[in-house]
């Protein structure tokens, strides 16, 4: 240890999936860093596996720091290695804090005449969400407690927010169109 | 002038409406600054009107600087006064660079059975925009050249983008609902 100069701080992004945030996980990350040889002047490169614990519900931006795991040189004491959580893109949900947002695509007929949407949950169930009312484009319904664990109180969970997207037909035959026109005349 | 220290830079936001950006304008802004008296030690407060020229199509963030119009003191030479353009919120349009976006609210019947939307322009005309096709929620149509002047070539103009929002009825009588269901069965 030659003075109190420290090496450059090492910061890595750590991508986690929503499933990993849901259950919590430990990621084994191999890092490569230099260590001083006994002669105090030359350095060797060394691999080390760090066990990064990601707790339930942790948010993007959360930092996990391993003290003094950075490069060591004759002039520097090793810096800390820090991992910063980032959310991996999910095929089905968008994350919104402790809520997750699912876009349910329904047809115009389903939106107007009622339907049951099957909503996939984070733990691989299908929750039927029946609706007999008209579903307006962009409207939402909440499945309370089906979101991610709250980081500060992981027994509680956020919501699964279902946002409806209404798919219109490309074309309606002229005859049907006239009928619809009359049916909607007083609406 | 007692050394090359300069007073604190003075920066003001300058709100401009889309109409002002459309035509270009000159804003007369009264500022108050201190000036050194002939004794070289005492200062007086002075009002001055600056003519801020805003050219056609200029964007938010554009800076207009008046050199040395800031406070003068025995120890400081006056700093520059800078105005930074900000877009005033408009009741009808959102700005998107040199385009302006207008949200046209149409009923479900209009979306499915055709309609003509009257689109207000920046120069106070009404442009009829007829449609016989189905209009999907969130779809857009462009009125080319009806947007704002391009800042670097103000004879050219951006587009007026019409974005459709489809308003669904709150309720459809059960009988009409059945008819619509059958009419949309093959769509």
């Amino acid at each position: 240890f030659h003075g109190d100069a420290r090496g450059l701080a090492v910061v890595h992004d750590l991508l986690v999936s929503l499933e990993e945030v849901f259950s919590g996980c430990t990621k084994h990350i191999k890092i490569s860093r230099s260590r001083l040889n006994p002669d105090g002047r030359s350095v060797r490169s060394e691999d080390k596996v760090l066990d990064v614990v990601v707790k339930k519900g942790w948010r993007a931006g959360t930092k996990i720091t391993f003290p003094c795991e950075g490069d060591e040189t004759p002039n520097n004491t090793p810096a800390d290695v820090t991992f910063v959580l980032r959310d991996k893109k999910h095929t089905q949900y968008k994350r919104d804090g402790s809520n997750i947002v699912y876009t349910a695509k329904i047809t115009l007929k389903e939106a107007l005449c009622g339907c049951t949407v099957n909503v996939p949950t984070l733990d691989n169930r299908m929750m039927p969400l029946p609706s007999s009312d008209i579903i307006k484009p962009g409207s939402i319904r909440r499945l309370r407690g089906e979101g991610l664990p709250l980081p500060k109180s992981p027994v509680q969970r956020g919501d699964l927010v279902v946002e409806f997207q209404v798919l219109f037909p490309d074309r309606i035959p002229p005859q049907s169109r006239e009928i619809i026109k009359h049916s909607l005349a007083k609406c």
Side-chain angles (χ1 to χ4, degrees), chain A:
Chain A
F1 178 29
H2 305 245
D4 54 4
R6 302 205 74 183
L8 283 176
V10 183
V11 180
H12 296 288
D13 277 350
L14 184 66
L15 280 172
V16 286
S17 68
L18 290 186
E19 284 80 2
E20 287 168 332
V21 172
F22 175 55
S23 326
C25 70
T26 300
K27 298 268 213 180
H28 308 287
I29 310 290
K30 190 159 99 178
I31 59 160
S32 196
R33 78 262 171 91
S34 65
R35 277 293 170 263
L36 214 49
N37 286 324
D39 64 11
R41 279 181 297 171
S42 61
V43 294
R44 64 185 182 280
S45 183
E46 214 181 63
D47 283 349
K48 184 171 179 184
V49 173
L50 301 178
D51 297 327
V52 188
V53 176
V54 177
K55 294 211 176 143
K56 289 184 179 190
W58 275 8
R59 306 216 170 153
T62 303
K63 293 184 170 116
I64 305 128
T65 297
F66 292 82
C68 301
E69 297 287 2
D71 288 334
E72 188 181 36
T73 74
N75 308 312
N76 289 316
T77 174
D80 298 342
V81 172
T82 298
F83 295 92
V84 182
L85 289 197
R86 300 277 169 233
D87 288 319
K88 211 179 269 180
K89 234 180 141 81
H90 197 277
T91 52
Q92 300 201 93
Y93 311 110
K94 277 178 298 181
R95 184 176 186 173
D96 176 22
S98 296
N99 297 332
I100 52 173
V101 180
Y102 173 76
T103 300
K105 295 181 179 180
I106 58 173
T107 66
L108 178 61
K109 193 178 77 177
E110 290 171 327
L112 298 179
C113 307
C115 61
T116 294
V117 171
N118 286 308
V119 181
T121 64
L122 267 174
D123 50 355
N124 286 312
R125 289 168 297 134
M126 276 292 181
M127 290 264 284
L129 186 60
S131 178
S132 54
D133 294 330
I134 288 177
I135 299 173
K136 299 181 181 183
S139 64
I140 61 168
R141 282 188 53 192
R142 283 172 183 276
L143 300 175
R144 302 216 179 260
E146 292 291 340
L148 295 166
L150 306 190
K152 287 181 179 161
S153 165
V155 287
Q156 291 179 279
R157 289 171 60 190
D159 301 334
L160 199 175
V161 177
V162 181
E163 189 178 311
F164 291 98
Q165 186 182 344
V166 180
L167 305 174
F168 275 42
D170 290 319
R171 191 163 298 235
I172 299 176
Q175 219 180 335
S176 306
R177 208 159 153 165
E178 276 309 303
I179 295 169
I180 291 169
K181 197 172 184 171
H182 286 286
S183 305
L184 287 174
K186 280 157 280 163
C187 296

